[in-house]
Amino acid sequence: MIPVLIIEGPTASGKSALAMAMAESLGSHIISADSRQVYKYLDIGTAKPDQTDRERVKHHFVDFLEPNQAYNAGAFVQAAGEIISGLHYQGLVPVICGGTGLYIRSLLEGLCKLPPIPAVVREELIGELGSRSLAELHEELNQVDPVSAGKISSNDKQRIVRALEVYRYTAKPLSQHWQEQNPPQSYRAFRILIAPPRELLYSRIDSRLDQMLSQGLIEEIKAVLQMGYSAHDPGLNSVGYKEFIPFLQGEQSLGEALLLAKQHSRNYAKRQMTWYRKQTFDLTILSSDFNLSDINRLLSDKLNPSEGL
RNA sequence: GGCGAGAUAGCUCAGCCGGUAGAGCAGAGGCCUGAAAAGCCUUGUGUCCCCAGUUCGAUUCUGGGUCUUGCCA
């Protein structure tokens, strides 16, 4: 089993600082499990590691897609698996760090084997919604894949469309694909969660947004829009970006946009915390005020079990 | 000062031709199998601005206040 260090936590909890410290002390690389830092040009609002950090520690999966390119858990699992094996071959313990819980869970628990589904299939489904109701689509899913239909809310357009596109393209229900899931690559993971008390986290989120603004977030968004990317592209459809579009179009004040961006970041952090409650961690720390040597000791206990056992 | 408009949940507002009220957002809790910074679910007792009148009954009608707001001066 390949040993890995995983650092998770809600937005603004201080994951990156811990990851940097650990990667340096292990002499290893950081694998970013973050669905937004993958995009070029979106630096300030995604709190990407800066140049200095990236010179000190090699970061993977940061800054390599255009803002209109799709990315997903499957792509992450595939690519991350390769990097992890490569590092392991060099005798390094990778530091996986990020707030996209689904990516990390998928990496650890595996995904079902599915071919990439062409975007047209989804576009067609969405087009059908012009003349058919969501309820009808849900019913169609119920006919071909009752197991999935039973688990998906009849209001959950995103998941109904997903289950249907899988069925239409592969002619096999999504639920069946899951039954035939391959055993996941297994890692010996040391999982750390940084979970600051809510009040503290919320105030850190608020001040981080203020900081981003003074670092030039607005200019960054303007520049990306000028390159021709749209607010609907996956990159800009992110908390801390989408809220400022109405302001840039003169429909809202900066103050209102800022308030919304903060609010949505807090909502996001809350959802992350709910997700983490279902995950198990080897170590949960309450603040970014961590003790490196304690962590290193626990880490080596877990990753290098003593021969005495 | 004149003529209007408004005052209802933390916020923005809907509603009641008279029978004590409801959405969105926020907040709280939860879900989550290739869009996950996404998507979805659950959760709403508040002097319906104040006073008086009409009425079996007023948040709803009438009168008078108070405050806010628009236009004109």
Side-chain angles (χ1 to χ4, degrees):
Chain A
M1 289 207 290
I2 299 180
V4 296
L5 201 214
I6 298 179
I7 298 170
E8 294 178 78
T11 186
S13 57
K15 298 184 289 294
S16 306
L18 213 210
M20 273 302 292
M22 292 306 298
E24 288 198 303
S25 94
L26 293 168
S28 186
H29 299 189
I30 289 176
I31 293 178
S32 164
D34 184 301
S35 69
R36 307 294 142 151
Q37 289 185 359
V38 297
Y39 293 113
K40 291 193 249 184
Y41 326 122
L42 308 179
D43 302 334
I44 299 171
T46 64
K48 254 183 219 167
D50 62 26
Q51 262 328 106
T52 320
D53 282 351
R54 285 157 75 180
E55 276 160 22
R56 278 163 55 195
V57 171
K58 165 86 181 161
H59 285 68
H60 294 90
F61 309 127
V62 171
D63 233 8
F64 72 105
L65 289 177
E66 298 295 318
N68 62 352
Q69 289 181 284
Y71 189 58
N72 60 50
F76 170 78
V77 170
Q78 162 80 25
E82 288 167 18
I83 300 289
I84 292 169
S85 310
L87 291 173
H88 182 239
Y89 186 70
Q90 296 171 57
L92 299 175
V93 174
V95 178
I96 301 165
C97 170
T100 306
L102 176 66
Y103 288 7
I104 291 174
R105 197 188 75 181
S106 301
L107 181 74
L108 262 19
E109 297 180 9
L111 288 171
C112 60
K113 192 175 56 189
L114 274 182
I117 298 172
V120 221
V121 184
R122 181 177 301 177
E123 283 157 21
E124 200 170 295
L125 249 351
I126 297 203
E128 285 176 31
L129 279 171
S131 52
R132 307 174 64 192
S133 69
L134 227 208
E136 288 175 279
L137 278 198
H138 191 254
E139 182 46 35
E140 179 182 328
L141 178 63
N142 194 233
Q143 298 299 317
V144 301
D145 184 357
V147 176
S148 296
K151 284 193 280 198
I152 300 173
S153 158
S154 54
N155 292 322
D156 198 339
K157 180 173 121 185
Q158 191 167 293
R159 291 194 171 84
I160 292 171
V161 167
R162 153 110 272 245
L164 274 177
E165 74 180 7
V166 169
Y167 179 76
R168 287 197 185 176
Y169 188 70
T170 66
K172 197 194 277 188
L174 216 208
S175 52
Q176 196 179 329
H177 280 106
W178 275 103
Q179 278 176 10
E180 299 164 5
Q181 182 196 171
N182 318 44
Q185 164 67 259
S186 56
Y187 299 105
R188 185 190 295 135
F190 185 77
R191 282 232 257 183
I192 300 177
L193 173 70
I194 307 188
R198 183 170 297 191
E199 299 247 311
L200 174 66
L201 183 65
Y202 280 8
S203 72
R204 289 183 56 152
I205 286 172
D206 288 351
S207 55
R208 188 159 82 161
L209 255 305
D210 291 332
Q211 228 172 2
M212 287 174 170
L213 221 56
S214 59
Q215 285 168 358
L217 216 212
I218 298 299
E219 288 65 32
E220 176 171 296
I221 300 172
K222 265 194 217 161
V224 175
L225 288 172
Q226 265 161 23
M227 290 175 181
Y229 294 109
S230 117
H232 305 293
D233 288 333
L236 286 175
N237 181 218
S238 305
V239 171
Y241 284 91
K242 60 183 169 192
E243 292 82 5
F244 294 101
I245 309 282
F247 160 68
L248 287 172
Q249 290 169 165
E251 293 161 5
Q252 204 179 39
S253 75
L254 217 211
E256 289 171 314
L258 214 211
L259 244 34
L260 269 183
K262 288 177 176 176
Q263 191 174 86
H264 293 164
S265 298
R266 286 184 242 118
N267 294 159
Y268 170 47
K270 186 172 181 286
R271 258 179 282 131
Q272 288 176 300
M273 288 308 298
T274 301
W275 171 277
Y276 293 136
R277 264 171 231 146
K278 281 286 165 71
Q279 307 291 307
T280 52
F281 295 91
D282 296 280
L283 174 64
T284 297
I285 55 187
L286 297 179
S287 75
S288 45
D289 188 16
F290 44 82
N291 183 321
L292 255 199
S293 55
D294 284 355
I295 294 175
N296 265 313
R297 203 191 62 245
L298 291 165
L299 175 68
S300 68
D301 285 354
K302 164 98 182 203
L303 299 185
N304 313 299
S306 69
E307 341 297 312
L309 299 178

